[in-house]
């Protein structure tokens, strides 16, 4: 059972790393176009009258929103990686902080390699700030997964206690 579970987690990790690799392989122009479309969509949700704004004000708003969308994408994609790495490492009988630190280390190393990979994509460059954001995303994913596991364990334990109480009645 654990072998199958490990394989599934590992396959998800490799697939997700492939998604991250694909995003990093895009040229600067393609990356900007993708995030630009998301920024336009989000901008219209946040500011319904965006098209009626003066051009300079509109552009300033879009530029500031673009920063948050791009950095939020970095954070989010690495948060997913943190969840996946933690899920994989939970399949081993390994207690304590080592599992989380290992997941964080692997995720951060992948972030470093991802930024290096961008040096080979036209119009892209590595950013130390992005590695920090990515690393923070991995940590967030690890903590989110830990919280989810604590909640699920607590629910299961309560269920067992209630079942035992009913059997004793």
């Amino acid at each position: 059972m654990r072998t199958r579970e490990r394989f599934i987690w590992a396959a998800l990790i490799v697939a997700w790393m492939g998604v991250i690799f694909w995003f990093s392989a895009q040229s600067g122009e393609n990356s900007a176009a993708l995030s630009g479309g998301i920024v336009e969509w989000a901008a219209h949700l946040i500011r319904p009258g965006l098209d009626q704004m003066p051009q300079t004000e509109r552009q300033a708003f879009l530029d500031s929103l673009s920063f948050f969308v791009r950095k939020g994408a970095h954070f989010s994609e690495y948060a997913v990686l943190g969840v996946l790495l933690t899920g994989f490492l939970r399949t081993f009988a390994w207690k304590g902080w080592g599992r989380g630190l290992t997941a964080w280390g692997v995720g951060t190393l992948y972030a470093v390699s991802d930024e290096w990979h961008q040096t080979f994509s036209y119009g892209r460059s590595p950013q130390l700030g992005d590695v920090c954001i990515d690393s923070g995303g991995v940590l967030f994913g690890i903590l989110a997964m830990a919280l989810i596991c604590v909640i699920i364990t607590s629910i299961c334990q309560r269920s067992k206690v209630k079942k035992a109480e009913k059997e004793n009645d």
Side-chain angles (χ1 to χ4, degrees), residues 16-17 20-21 24 71-85 103-104 106-115 118 130-142:
W16 192 249
M17 286 178 162
I20 294 171
F21 186 90
S24 292
K71 300 312 172 189
H74 270 271
F75 187 87
S76 300
E77 66 188 5
Y78 279 88
V80 170
L81 183 60
V83 166
L84 296 174
L85 289 167
W104 181 75
V106 170
T108 299
L109 284 173
Y110 192 72
V112 169
S113 72
D114 180 55
E115 289 301 310
Q118 286 185 28
D130 286 349
V131 172
C132 294
I133 291 168
D134 298 344
S135 182
V138 172
L139 181 60
F140 180 83
I142 293 165

Side-chain angles (χ1 to χ4, degrees), residues 83-99:
V83 166
L84 296 174
L85 289 167
T86 303
F88 174 75
L89 292 172
R90 287 186 60 78
T91 65
F92 296 90
W94 191 5
K95 303 288 183 189
W97 291 95
R99 188 169 40 207

